[in-house]
Amino acid sequence: MTKNSFWYRVYDLYYDGFRNMKLGKTLWAVIIVKLIVIFLVLKLFFFPDFIGSHSKKGEEPDFVATQLEERGPD
């Protein structure tokens, strides 16, 4: 990759920008921690594997179809 190529210039722009950040590094750390909490911790505690625990392996589509038919409008 040459120094005049587009991708090198993009990389250099972001590398230089992140290297010179003071407050921005702290803010990015806060954002990353929040994303980890949202996607890992909340998923584990508030979104359990309901289909996997109520159906046998390989029969998940049948379980979903049955549930949709039972809960559908009359």
Side-chain angles (χ1 to χ4, degrees):
M1 192 162 36
T2 64
K3 290 191 175 199
N4 290 332
S5 73
F6 173 75
W7 295 111
Y8 180 79
R9 288 184 291 149
V10 169
Y11 168 76
D12 192 42
L13 173 74
Y14 282 99
Y15 179 75
D16 189 44
F18 282 113
R19 185 181 55 191
N20 292 327
M21 270 195 223
K22 301 286 188 267
L23 177 63
K25 288 180 184 178
T26 306
L27 294 176
W28 274 108
V30 169
I31 290 169
I32 290 171
V33 168
K34 286 175 75 172
L35 288 174
I36 289 171
V37 168
I38 288 170
F39 288 112
L40 294 178
V41 175
L42 291 180
K43 184 184 181 321
L44 290 174
F45 291 114
F46 294 109
F47 302 108
D49 186 16
F50 184 79
I51 295 173
S53 63
H54 287 84
S55 65
K56 296 179 183 175
K57 184 80 172 161
E59 296 181 2
E60 292 92 352
D62 295 330
F63 174 75
V64 172
T66 305
Q67 291 298 313
L68 288 174
E69 289 172 358
E70 289 177 1
R71 297 178 187 195
D74 292 327

